[in-house]
Amino acid sequence: MDIVIWILLLFLLFYEPIFGYFDFQRFKQKVKTDHKARLNYYNNTIIGLWVPTITILLLTIFTELTFEEIGISIPNLNTETLGKAVTYTGLGIGLLYLLFVLYFIIGFNFSDKIKKELTKKKKEDWEKSVIAPLLPVTESEKKRWNYVSLTAGLTEEVIYRGFTLFALAYLFPNLSIWVIIVLSSLVFGLAHTYQGFLMGFVRTSFFAILFCILYIGLGSILPLILLHFLLDYIAKLGE
C-alpha cells in the first residue's frame, strides 16, 4: 500500500500543477474558435478527477485502508484534535459559507433583485477573472457544469481531504496535525495554479485549510462534499 500512496501523492504534486496548467493554457486559446471546447474540457476534467478517486476507493477495497480513514463516514463532532476554539470557529465559518451560498442559489431562482445582482457580478468577474473562459455560457454548458461541480465536490474531497491528510499522517507520523493540514492544503492549492497565483494557489490553499478544519472537526468529508459542490455550482448562475 505504501508504494501506491507515494505514487498518488507524487501524481498530485506534479500532474495537476504542471499538466493542468498547460492544458488550461491550450484550452484558453482553443475556446476562442472551437464552440465545443468547454464541453470537451469539462469532460476531460471529470475523467481526470475520477481516475485518482477510483484508485483511492480501490485501495479501501483491496488493502487495509478503510473508508473511515479517508473520511467516508457518518459525521461525529471532534473537538479534541484541534481544540474547541479552532473547531467551533471553523464550523461557524463553514456554516456561514453554506448559508451565503444557499441564499444566492435560492434567491437566483425566486428573486429578480438577487438574479440581477449575480448577473452583474458575473459580468464584472468575467472581465478580470483568469478563469472566465472556463465558466459556462450556453445552456448545454451549464447543464454539463452541474456534473463538473458534483464531480469536483465529491472527488476533490476524497482526494485532497480524506486521502491526502491520511497519506501524510501515515507516511510521516511524527508531523504535527497543523503541518499536515498546511501541506495538504498547499497540494490542493498547487492543483489550482492554472487559476493564477493569488486567486488560484493562495486563495484555494486558504480555503483548503478551512476545509481541513471542518473535516477534522466533523470526522467526515460528507458535509464538505455538499459545500464544495454548492461553491462550484454557484459559478454557473447569472446570464
Side-chain angles (χ1 to χ4, degrees):
M1 184 174 77
D2 293 33
I3 295 177
V4 179
I5 290 176
W6 271 112
I7 291 174
L8 281 170
L9 280 179
L10 291 173
F11 173 83
L12 297 178
L13 276 171
F14 295 104
Y15 180 82
E16 275 302 325
I18 298 174
F19 176 82
Y21 174 82
F22 287 105
D23 187 48
F24 184 68
Q25 303 309 310
R26 289 191 293 269
F27 160 75
K28 286 196 298 182
Q29 297 303 316
K30 188 179 295 184
V31 77
K32 296 176 182 178
T33 56
D34 184 357
H35 68 281
K36 292 184 178 180
R38 282 194 189 88
L39 290 175
N40 291 333
Y41 190 81
Y42 294 165
N43 292 337
N44 292 335
T45 297
I46 291 171
I47 294 171
L49 286 171
W50 270 111
V51 169
T53 301
I54 291 173
T55 303
I56 292 168
L57 294 177
L58 288 175
L59 276 179
T60 65
I61 297 174
F62 295 107
T63 71
E64 62 271 24
L65 180 65
T66 66
F67 285 109
E68 288 77 13
E69 287 176 314
I70 59 172
I72 303 177
S73 58
I74 302 299
N76 184 26
L77 185 64
N78 166 33
T79 60
E80 294 182 4
T81 304
L82 299 177
K84 291 184 178 180
V86 172
T87 301
Y88 286 128
T89 299
L91 291 175
I93 295 172
L95 180 59
L96 287 175
Y97 266 117
L98 177 61
L99 294 175
F100 174 81
V101 173
L102 288 176
Y103 168 78
F104 280 106
I105 291 176
I106 296 172
F108 181 82
N109 292 286
F110 295 98
S111 170
D112 289 336
K113 180 181 178 181
I114 294 176
K115 188 173 185 178
K116 289 178 181 178
E117 288 179 0
L118 271 176
T119 300
K120 180 181 178 182
K121 185 68 166 62
K122 184 173 183 179
K123 289 180 179 178
E124 292 174 352
D125 290 344
W126 188 276
E127 295 175 356
K128 59 184 179 181
S129 175
V130 175
I131 64 168
L134 181 62
L135 301 179
V137 177
T138 66
E139 286 303 314
S140 60
E141 290 169 357
K142 290 181 178 181
K143 289 180 180 179
R144 193 66 54 83
W145 185 264
N146 293 337
Y147 297 104
V148 174
S149 301
L150 182 59
T151 295
L154 200 159
T155 61
E156 289 188 350
E157 292 310 315
V158 170
I159 296 169
Y160 293 101
R161 244 65 68 192
F163 172 76
T164 305
L165 282 172
F166 164 80
L168 291 172
Y170 176 81
L171 295 173
F172 308 101
N174 295 323
L175 292 179
S176 72
I177 186 61
W178 282 108
V179 172
I180 291 172
I181 287 174
V182 171
L183 289 177
S184 68
S185 299
L186 292 176
V187 172
F188 186 62
L190 285 172
H192 293 77
T193 50
Y194 70 93
Q195 298 180 7
F197 179 72
L198 289 177
M199 296 302 290
F201 175 69
V202 175
R203 188 189 65 166
T204 306
S205 296
F206 275 108
F207 264 98
I209 290 174
L210 171 63
F211 271 52
C212 286
I213 292 172
L214 291 173
Y215 168 40
I216 294 170
L218 293 170
S220 171
I221 62 170
L222 300 183
L224 301 184
I225 290 173
L226 174 61
L227 179 57
H228 194 145
F229 160 69
L230 292 175
L231 286 170
D232 285 347
Y233 174 85
I234 199 174
K236 83 166 193 175
L237 301 182
E239 298 179 346

